[in-house]
Coordinates of all heavy atoms in Angstrom, one line a residue:
T54 N -22.1 -1.9 14.5 CA -23.0 -0.8 14.1 C -23.3 -1.0 12.6 O -22.4 -1.2 11.8 CB -22.3 0.5 14.4 OG1 -22.1 0.7 15.8 CG2 -23.0 1.7 13.8
G55 N -24.5 -0.9 12.3 CA -24.9 -0.9 10.9 C -24.4 0.3 10.1 O -24.3 1.4 10.7
V56 N -24.1 0.1 8.8 CA -23.5 1.2 8.0 C -24.5 1.5 6.8 O -24.8 0.6 6.0 CB -22.1 0.8 7.5 CG1 -21.6 1.9 6.6 CG2 -21.2 0.6 8.7
L57 N -24.9 2.8 6.8 CA -25.6 3.3 5.6 C -24.7 4.2 4.9 O -24.0 5.0 5.5 CB -26.9 4.1 6.1 CG -27.8 3.4 7.1 CD1 -28.9 4.4 7.6 CD2 -28.4 2.2 6.5
T58 N -24.6 4.0 3.6 CA -23.7 4.9 2.8 C -24.5 5.9 2.1 O -25.5 5.6 1.4 CB -22.9 4.1 1.8 OG1 -23.7 3.5 0.8 CG2 -22.1 3.0 2.6
A59 N -24.1 7.2 2.2 CA -24.7 8.3 1.5 C -23.7 8.7 0.4 O -22.5 8.4 0.4 CB -24.9 9.5 2.4
V60 N -24.2 9.4 -0.6 CA -23.4 10.0 -1.7 C -22.6 8.9 -2.4 O -21.4 9.1 -2.7 CB -22.5 11.2 -1.2 CG1 -22.1 12.1 -2.3 CG2 -23.2 12.0 -0.1
P61 N -23.3 7.8 -2.8 CA -22.5 6.7 -3.5 C -22.0 7.1 -4.9 O -21.2 6.4 -5.4 CB -23.5 5.6 -3.5 CG -24.8 6.3 -3.5 CD -24.7 7.5 -2.7
F62 N -22.5 8.2 -5.5 CA -22.1 8.6 -6.8 C -21.2 9.8 -6.7 O -20.9 10.4 -7.7 CB -23.3 8.9 -7.7 CG -24.2 7.7 -7.9 CD1 -25.6 7.9 -7.7 CD2 -23.8 6.4 -8.2 CE1 -26.5 6.9 -7.8 CE2 -24.7 5.4 -8.3 CZ -26.0 5.6 -8.2
G63 N -20.7 10.1 -5.5 CA -19.8 11.2 -5.3 C -20.3 12.5 -5.8 O -19.6 13.3 -6.5
R64 N -21.6 12.8 -5.5 CA -22.3 14.0 -6.0 C -22.2 14.2 -7.5 O -22.0 15.3 -7.9 CB -21.7 15.2 -5.2 CG -22.1 15.2 -3.7 CD -21.6 16.4 -3.0 NE -22.2 16.5 -1.7 CZ -21.8 15.8 -0.6 NH1 -20.8 15.0 -0.7 NH2 -22.4 16.0 0.6
G65 N -22.2 13.1 -8.2 CA -22.1 13.2 -9.7 C -20.7 13.1 -10.3 O -20.6 12.9 -11.5
R66 N -19.7 13.1 -9.4 CA -18.3 13.0 -9.9 C -18.1 11.8 -10.7 O -17.4 11.8 -11.8 CB -17.3 13.0 -8.7 CG -16.9 14.3 -8.1 CD -15.8 14.0 -7.1 NE -15.9 12.9 -6.3 CZ -16.6 12.8 -5.1 NH1 -17.1 13.9 -4.6 NH2 -16.6 11.7 -4.4
L67 N -18.6 10.7 -10.2 CA -18.4 9.4 -10.9 C -19.0 9.3 -12.3 O -18.3 8.9 -13.2 CB -18.8 8.2 -10.0 CG -18.0 8.0 -8.8 CD1 -18.7 7.1 -7.8 CD2 -16.6 7.5 -9.1
F68 N -20.2 9.8 -12.4 CA -20.8 9.8 -13.7 C -20.1 10.8 -14.7 O -20.0 10.4 -15.9 CB -22.3 10.2 -13.6 CG -23.2 9.1 -12.9 CD1 -23.8 9.4 -11.8 CD2 -23.2 7.8 -13.5 CE1 -24.6 8.4 -11.2 CE2 -24.0 6.9 -12.8 CZ -24.7 7.2 -11.7
R69 N -19.7 11.9 -14.2 CA -18.9 12.8 -15.1 C -17.6 12.1 -15.5 O -17.2 12.3 -16.7 CB -18.6 14.1 -14.4 CG -19.9 15.0 -14.2 CD -19.6 16.4 -13.7 NE -19.0 16.4 -12.4 CZ -19.7 16.4 -11.2 NH1 -21.0 16.3 -11.3 NH2 -19.1 16.4 -10.1
A70 N -17.0 11.3 -14.7 CA -15.7 10.7 -15.0 C -15.9 9.6 -16.1 O -14.9 9.4 -16.8 CB -15.1 10.1 -13.7
V71 N -17.0 9.0 -16.1 CA -17.2 7.9 -17.1 C -18.1 8.3 -18.3 O -18.4 7.4 -19.1 CB -17.8 6.6 -16.4 CG1 -16.8 6.1 -15.4 CG2 -19.1 6.9 -15.8
R72 N -18.4 9.6 -18.3 CA -19.3 10.0 -19.4 C -18.8 9.6 -20.8 O -17.6 9.7 -21.1 CB -19.3 11.6 -19.4 CG -20.3 12.1 -20.5 CD -20.5 13.6 -20.4 NE -21.1 13.7 -19.1 CZ -21.2 14.9 -18.4 NH1 -20.6 15.9 -18.9 NH2 -21.8 14.9 -17.2
D73 N -19.7 9.0 -21.6 CA -19.4 8.5 -22.9 C -18.4 7.3 -22.9 O -17.9 6.9 -24.0 CB -18.8 9.6 -23.8 CG -19.7 10.8 -24.0 OD1 -21.0 10.5 -24.0 OD2 -19.3 11.9 -24.0
R74 N -18.1 6.7 -21.8 CA -17.3 5.5 -21.8 C -18.3 4.3 -21.6 O -19.2 4.3 -20.8 CB -16.4 5.5 -20.5 CG -15.2 6.4 -20.7 CD -14.4 6.3 -19.4 NE -13.3 7.2 -19.4 CZ -12.0 6.8 -19.6 NH1 -11.8 5.6 -19.8 NH2 -11.1 7.7 -19.6
P75 N -18.0 3.2 -22.3 CA -18.8 2.0 -22.1 C -18.4 1.3 -20.9 O -17.2 1.4 -20.4 CB -18.4 1.1 -23.4 CG -17.0 1.6 -23.7 CD -17.0 3.1 -23.4
L76 N -19.3 0.6 -20.3 CA -19.0 -0.3 -19.1 C -17.9 -1.3 -19.5 O -18.1 -1.9 -20.6 CB -20.2 -1.0 -18.7 CG -20.3 -1.6 -17.3 CD1 -20.1 -0.5 -16.2 CD2 -21.6 -2.3 -17.1
P77 N -16.9 -1.5 -18.8 CA -15.8 -2.5 -19.2 C -16.5 -3.9 -19.3 O -17.3 -4.3 -18.5 CB -14.8 -2.4 -18.1 CG -15.1 -1.2 -17.3 CD -16.5 -0.9 -17.5
D78 N -16.0 -4.7 -20.3 CA -16.5 -6.0 -20.5 C -16.4 -6.9 -19.2 O -17.3 -7.6 -18.9 CB -15.8 -6.7 -21.6 CG -16.2 -6.2 -23.0 OD1 -17.3 -5.6 -23.1 OD2 -15.4 -6.3 -23.9
W79 N -15.3 -6.7 -18.4 CA -15.1 -7.5 -17.2 C -16.1 -7.2 -16.1 O -16.3 -8.0 -15.2 CB -13.6 -7.4 -16.7 CG -13.2 -6.0 -16.5 CD1 -12.5 -5.2 -17.3 CD2 -13.5 -5.2 -15.3 NE1 -12.3 -3.9 -16.7 CE2 -12.9 -3.9 -15.5 CE3 -14.1 -5.4 -14.1 CZ2 -12.9 -2.9 -14.6 CZ3 -14.2 -4.4 -13.2 CH2 -13.6 -3.2 -13.4
A80 N -16.7 -6.1 -16.2 CA -17.7 -5.7 -15.2 C -19.1 -6.1 -15.5 O -20.0 -6.1 -14.7 CB -17.7 -4.2 -15.0
K81 N -19.4 -6.6 -16.8 CA -20.7 -6.9 -17.2 C -21.3 -8.2 -16.5 O -22.5 -8.4 -16.6 CB -20.8 -7.0 -18.7 CG -20.6 -5.6 -19.4 CD -20.6 -5.7 -20.9 CE -20.4 -4.3 -21.5 NZ -20.3 -4.3 -22.9
S82 N -20.4 -8.9 -15.9 CA -20.9 -10.1 -15.2 C -21.7 -9.8 -13.9 O -22.4 -10.6 -13.4 CB -19.8 -11.1 -14.9 OG -18.9 -10.5 -14.0
F83 N -21.5 -8.5 -13.4 CA -22.2 -8.2 -12.2 C -22.9 -6.8 -12.3 O -23.7 -6.5 -11.4 CB -21.2 -8.2 -11.0 CG -20.0 -7.2 -11.1 CD1 -20.1 -5.9 -10.8 CD2 -18.8 -7.7 -11.6 CE1 -19.0 -5.1 -10.9 CE2 -17.7 -6.9 -11.7 CZ -17.8 -5.6 -11.4
A84 N -22.6 -6.0 -13.3 CA -23.3 -4.7 -13.4 C -23.8 -4.5 -14.8 O -23.1 -4.7 -15.8 CB -22.3 -3.6 -13.1
G85 N -25.0 -3.9 -14.9 CA -25.6 -3.6 -16.2 C -25.5 -2.2 -16.6 O -26.0 -1.8 -17.7
S86 N -25.0 -1.3 -15.7 CA -24.9 0.1 -15.9 C -23.8 0.7 -15.0 O -23.3 0.0 -14.1 CB -26.2 0.8 -15.6 OG -26.5 0.7 -14.2
W87 N -23.5 1.9 -15.3 CA -22.5 2.6 -14.4 C -23.0 2.8 -13.0 O -22.3 2.6 -12.0 CB -22.1 3.9 -15.0 CG -21.1 3.8 -16.1 CD1 -21.2 4.2 -17.4 CD2 -19.7 3.3 -16.0 NE1 -20.1 3.9 -18.1 CE2 -19.2 3.3 -17.3 CE3 -19.0 2.7 -15.0 CZ2 -17.9 2.9 -17.5 CZ3 -17.7 2.3 -15.2 CH2 -17.2 2.3 -16.5
A88 N -24.3 3.1 -12.9 CA -24.9 3.2 -11.5 C -24.8 1.9 -10.8 O -24.4 1.9 -9.6 CB -26.4 3.7 -11.7
Q89 N -25.1 0.8 -11.4 CA -25.0 -0.5 -10.7 C -23.5 -0.8 -10.4 O -23.2 -1.3 -9.3 CB -25.6 -1.6 -11.6 CG -27.1 -1.4 -11.7 CD -27.7 -2.4 -12.7 OE1 -27.1 -3.4 -13.0 NE2 -28.9 -2.0 -13.2
F90 N -22.6 -0.4 -11.3 CA -21.2 -0.6 -11.0 C -20.8 0.1 -9.7 O -20.2 -0.5 -8.9 CB -20.4 -0.1 -12.2 CG -18.9 -0.2 -12.2 CD1 -18.2 -1.2 -12.7 CD2 -18.2 0.9 -11.6 CE1 -16.8 -1.3 -12.7 CE2 -16.8 0.8 -11.5 CZ -16.1 -0.3 -12.1
F91 N -21.1 1.3 -9.6 CA -20.8 2.1 -8.4 C -21.5 1.6 -7.2 O -20.8 1.5 -6.1 CB -21.1 3.6 -8.7 CG -20.4 4.2 -9.9 CD1 -21.1 5.0 -10.7 CD2 -19.0 4.0 -10.1 CE1 -20.4 5.6 -11.8 CE2 -18.4 4.5 -11.2 CZ -19.1 5.3 -12.1
L92 N -22.7 1.3 -7.3 CA -23.5 0.8 -6.1 C -23.0 -0.6 -5.7 O -22.9 -0.9 -4.5 CB -25.0 0.7 -6.4 CG -25.6 2.1 -6.7 CD1 -27.1 1.9 -7.1 CD2 -25.6 3.0 -5.4
K93 N -22.7 -1.5 -6.7 CA -22.3 -2.8 -6.3 C -20.9 -2.8 -5.7 O -20.6 -3.7 -4.9 CB -22.3 -3.7 -7.5 CG -23.8 -4.1 -7.8 CD -23.8 -5.3 -8.8 CE -25.3 -5.7 -8.9 NZ -25.4 -7.1 -9.2
Y94 N -20.1 -1.8 -6.0 CA -18.8 -1.8 -5.2 C -19.1 -1.6 -3.7 O -18.5 -2.3 -2.9 CB -18.0 -0.6 -5.7 CG -16.7 -0.4 -4.9 CD1 -15.6 -1.2 -5.1 CD2 -16.6 0.5 -3.8 CE1 -14.5 -1.2 -4.3 CE2 -15.5 0.5 -3.0 CZ -14.4 -0.3 -3.3 OH -13.3 -0.2 -2.5
L95 N -20.0 -0.8 -3.4 CA -20.4 -0.6 -2.0 C -21.1 -1.8 -1.4 O -20.8 -2.2 -0.3 CB -21.2 0.7 -1.8 CG -20.6 2.0 -2.3 CD1 -21.6 3.1 -2.2 CD2 -19.3 2.3 -1.6
L96 N -22.0 -2.3 -2.1 CA -22.8 -3.5 -1.7 C -21.9 -4.7 -1.5 O -22.2 -5.6 -0.7 CB -23.9 -3.8 -2.6 CG -25.1 -2.7 -2.6 CD1 -26.0 -3.0 -3.8 CD2 -25.8 -2.8 -1.3

Side-chain angles (χ1 to χ4, degrees):
T54 293
V56 175
L57 308 175
T58 65
V60 199
F62 303 130
R64 292 182 168 80
R66 276 189 321 270
L67 289 167
F68 290 120
R69 287 188 297 276
V71 297
R72 181 171 298 162
D73 300 325
R74 288 180 180 256
L76 194 65
D78 288 338
W79 54 264
K81 292 179 181 176
S82 65
F83 59 83
S86 68
W87 282 116
Q89 292 174 23
F90 179 94
F91 301 136
L92 294 173
K93 285 196 174 208
Y94 176 80
L95 302 175
L96 292 168

